[in-house]
Amino acid sequence: MSEPQTAAGAEWCVVLNGEEQYSLWWTGRELPAGWRAEGTRGTRERCLARVEEVWADPLRRPAADGAGAAGDCVTETVGRQARRTPGAAAVGGEGFTLSFGGLDAASNRWARYLRSLGVGRGALVGVLLGRGAELHAVTLGVWKAGAGCLPLDPEFPAARLRALLAATGTRFLVTEVAHGPDGFEGRVRYVDDPEVRGALARQPGGPFGGAPDPEDVAYVTQVPAAAGRPLAVAVTHRGLAHHVTAAARELAGGGDGGTAVFSSVASERAATGLWAPLCAGRRVLLAPQDLDLAGLGEWLAAAAPFAFLMAAPGHLELLARQLGDAGTAALAGSFVLTDGARGPAAERLAGLLGPGRLRTAYGTAETSYGGLSLPVRSGADARLRVLDGACLPVPDGTVGELYVAGPGVARGYAGRAALTALRFVPDPFGPAGTRMHRTGQLARRTAAGEVRLLGRTDRQVWVRGHRADPAETEEALHDHPSVGEAVVLGVRAAPGDVRLAAYVVPRPGAQELDAAALAAHCRRRLPGHLVPASLTLLDEVPRDADGRVERAALPGAGGSGGRPAPGRRTFLGGSSLAELLAEHRVPGACVAVLEGGGLVAVEAAGTDGAGRPVTPRTAFPVGTLSRHVAALGALRLVEEGLLALDAEVGRGGGTPVTLAGLLGGAEDGAALLPALLEDVTGEEFGPLMRRLVLGPLRLDDSRFGGPPARAGGRSGAAVARTGHDADGRALDGPRAADPAELWTTAADLAEVALELRRSLLGAPLALLGRDLAARLPYPGPDGRHGPAATAPGTGPVLRHEAALPGHYAGSVLRPHDGQGLVVLANGRAGDRVAGEIEARLRDARRKAGPAPEGR
C-alpha cells in the first residue's frame, strides 16, 4: 500500500463491501480486498454526506441467499442442548424453573405468536422485562421470528425508555403491565395479560422452522457517546454467538453450576451471563428484580457453587464483607470482573483462586462484548490492531489507537450511518470485505505481543458494570432551573468501585434547593447508574490559581485527579500586568500563555468594573470569537453526517447559502449558524454547544447566551459585564444577552486553541479530523473568514480578534509549535495591551532560543 496523504492533500472516497456496508478510504491508497469505490470522492465531509444519503439503515443488510449456518446463532446452540438434555435445568429464578425442553417450547410459542402479529425479519422488538420467567423465552422467540431484540431495563425512567424506543425505530414492545411506558406509539403486548397468555397457549410448542441469518441483528445495545446522545449498537447473531460460545468454552464448561445474573439485563455485560451457560448446557439463575444488595451474599451462597460469576469490583468488596474472602472464593470456579479496576478484595480473591480464575472483561457492544482477559493477547479470532491515524501499524512500544477486527465486529449504530462509516472501517489486514472497529482506546503492543490498554482521552468510566459518561449527568443537572453550575466526577466509593459524585452550585436567588430534590430530578431522567451516588451543594466549585476545577479539594473526591495546574513564569519583563493595564486605561484583563502545545501561565489583574477583582476564572464576553467555537460544534455534526458543508441550508437575497458559506462568509453567518444547528438537532443552541464542545473539553467556566451564574461565592469570582471605552470610562447599560455569544475565561479559550491544534495535527481522539479542522473559520488579510490552515507544519498563524463594545478578546495560535496567547479585557484599549504582551513574548522567546518541538 502507498503511504497515506497529508491532511492538506487528503482526498477520500466512499467505499462499500459485498454486504453493502459503507465506509471511507483514502483515494491515493489501494482499496482493501472485497471493497469497491461507490463513485463519490472529495473531502471527508462530502463523502460522509453521501453515506448519509445512500445508506438509509446501517442495521439492514441485503436479502440472504439461504438459511444461516448451524452454530452461528444462539438459538441453534440452545436448541441443540434442548434436544440433547430436555429435562436439564436451563433458567431459574424466584418461583420458577424452566428446563431446556420447556424453554425451547416456550420460545417456539412466542416465535409463532409474534409472527402472527407481523413481526419478522428486519423488525426490532423492545423487551422490557425484569429478571423473570419470560425473559429468555421472549428473547429467543424474537430471534426465531427473525427480528432483533432491544433489551430494556424496567428501572430506567419512562422518559429514557421512550427515547430509546424512538431513537432505534422500535415499533413493537413486549413488557409487563407494571413496566409499560406511557407515550409509546407502537404496538405493545403484555406477558401477564390473560389474553396474551391464552393466545400463547394456543400456539404449538414444537420445532419452529428456519434459523436466523447469522448476519442479521440479534441485539441493539445502548452505549454512551463521547459527547452527545447515547448510541445504539447493532450486534449480529454471528457476533453474539462468537462471544458467548467462546465464553462457554472458557467459563461455563466445568460442573453444573452455570451462573447467576443479579445486574441489569440491559447492560453491555449482560449477554455473557444470560447466554454463555445455556450454550454449554448449564443453568442461568436470575436474581429477584427487587433483591436488596444487603442480601446478595446470602442469596448467592444458598445457590452456589457456580461455574463462574460476573461482578463489578464493588460487588466483590460487598461479598467479601458479607461472606469473607474464603466464602466469596467458594461461590464459583472462576470470576469475571466487569471493568478493569481491581480493588483489594479482587486482589485477595485472585490469590485464593489461583492463576487464571479471576479474569477482567474487555469488550464493548461494538465488539460483541468479547474477550475475557487483560492484558489482551491477539488471537486467531479476536484480531487486535494498534494503528495510527492512517490505519497503519505502529511499532511495538509506540502508542496508537486500538482497532478490533474479526467476527465480533458489530453491524453499526442505529440511525447513524455516517458515524458507523467513521468507526467501522475497512480491514486492510483481514479477509476480503471485512471491517474493524475503532475503539477509542489508546494502546501499545509489547515485544511479547501483548496489547496494553492505556485509557481514553474522554471522560467515560465504568460504573457498576455500565459504561458511563459523567457529561450526561451534568447535563441533567444543568437542566434544573435552580442549578447554576454542576460538576460530576467518577470517584472511588470504595477500592475498585467507581461511582458518580455531583457537586452543585445553586443559581443566585434559588430557593429551597436541596440534594434530595436534585437526586429525584436525576432519577426522573437517567438510568440508575447515571444518578449520582453522592450530591453535594457548594457555595462555589473550588478552583486552583489558574481557574481549573480543583478536584482534590472537592468533598469526598479523594484526589481523583484532573488536569494539572500549569507551571508559572514571568512573561511581562519588568512591569506587571496591573501596571500595563493602568498605562492603557483598561480596568481588568486576563491573559493565558501557550508554549509547546500546553498552557503554561494564566494571569489576571484589575477589576470587573463593579468593584470585584478579576481572577483567572472571571468570564468575559468574546464577541465574534464565539464563531469558531460554534463552528467547532457544527463541524462535529458534519463529521457525524448530520450536516454537509456544501448542502444548501438557506437563501440570502436569492443566492443559495451553504454551511461552508456560513463558516467562511459575511458576518450574517454568525447569526444564521445557531438557528441552523437548532433546526438540524432540535436542541437549544446553548445546551447543544455544551454537549458538543464545552462539555467534552471540560470548559466549566464557559457558557453561550450569558455569563455563568456563579458571582457571589466565597472567592468573589466575577463576570466582566461592564465594558469601558478607550479612556477607561464605563459604558452605560448592561450588554444585551445574545444566545450565540460565548462568555468564557482566558484559560478556557486557550483550551479551545489547544484542541484545534490537536485536531490539525491528527492527534488520537481529537474532537475533529485534520481535514475538517482545517475548515474552521479564521479571518484572512481581507477581513473575510477562511479555512484555519492548509497544513500544520508550514507555520500558519491563526489569529482572531474581536473589538466588541467596551471589551476586547484576542486569540493567536501557531499550530506547528504550539505557541499562543489569549487576552480578554473589559476595556476597548485591550488591543494595545495584547499587542504589547505579544511583543514582549516574542522578545523573550527570541532570547531563549529555538522553540521546542510541538507535542
Side-chain angles (χ1 to χ4, degrees), residues 450-673:
E450 290 182 341
V451 175
R452 301 278 180 174
L453 303 184
L454 305 177
R456 307 179 66 96
T457 61
D458 58 27
R459 301 175 62 191
Q460 288 187 17
V461 293
W462 285 94
V463 179
R464 291 154 44 193
H466 297 263
R467 201 164 25 136
D469 192 327
E472 283 195 68
T473 306
E474 288 179 351
E475 291 308 306
L477 288 167
H478 280 120
D479 284 342
H480 193 286
S482 296
V483 171
E485 185 176 10
V487 175
V488 178
L489 308 177
V491 300
R492 291 202 313 168
D497 184 11
V498 175
R499 299 294 173 93
L500 296 184
Y503 303 89
V504 173
V505 177
R507 191 177 297 278
Q511 300 294 323
E512 300 180 359
L513 179 65
D514 59 38
L518 289 175
H521 168 81
C522 290
R523 283 193 293 271
R524 288 192 295 270
R525 294 167 176 259
L526 299 168
H529 66 279
L530 289 175
V531 175
S534 65
L535 207 153
T536 305
L537 297 179
L538 303 173
D539 291 335
E540 64 173 0
V541 174
R543 297 174 185 271
D544 60 25
D546 294 307
R548 296 294 161 207
V549 175
E550 199 166 9
R551 301 188 176 198
L554 288 166
S560 59
R563 287 179 293 195
R568 290 196 163 277
R569 66 179 184 79
T570 300
F571 59 86
L572 290 178
S575 60
S576 69
L577 177 59
E579 291 170 336
L580 193 58
L581 296 180
E583 178 184 347
H584 292 288
R585 301 180 181 180
V586 173
C590 190
V591 178
V593 180
L594 307 175
E595 294 281 2
L599 180 62
V600 297
V602 181
E603 195 157 324
T607 69
D608 67 342
R612 289 185 296 266
V614 170
T615 74
R617 57 177 292 213
T618 297
F620 292 77
V622 297
T624 55
L625 268 73
S626 310
R627 175 185 295 187
H628 71 270
V629 181
L632 180 58
L635 291 176
R636 294 206 71 196
L637 297 177
V638 170
E639 190 158 59
E640 295 184 4
L642 296 180
L643 280 172
L645 278 174
D646 300 324
E648 182 178 332
V649 296
R651 302 187 74 82
T655 303
V657 176
T658 65
L659 176 60
L662 293 185
L663 296 181
E667 287 300 316
D668 57 3
L672 295 175
L673 184 60

Side-chain angles (χ1 to χ4, degrees), residues 759-781:
S759 297
L760 286 169
L761 295 176
L765 307 182
L767 284 186
L768 290 179
R770 286 185 291 186
D771 51 349
L772 273 181
R775 302 296 296 269
L776 279 165
Y778 272 78

Side-chain angles (χ1 to χ4, degrees), residues 112-150:
R112 291 186 169 93
Y113 177 61
L114 291 170
R115 279 282 183 88
S116 73
L117 299 174
V119 173
R121 188 166 184 261
L124 191 60
V125 178
V127 177
L128 178 57
L129 299 171
R131 295 187 290 261
E134 299 289 350
L135 177 64
H136 283 80
V138 169
T139 303
L140 284 171
V142 169
W143 291 340
K144 290 180 178 182
C149 174
L150 172 67

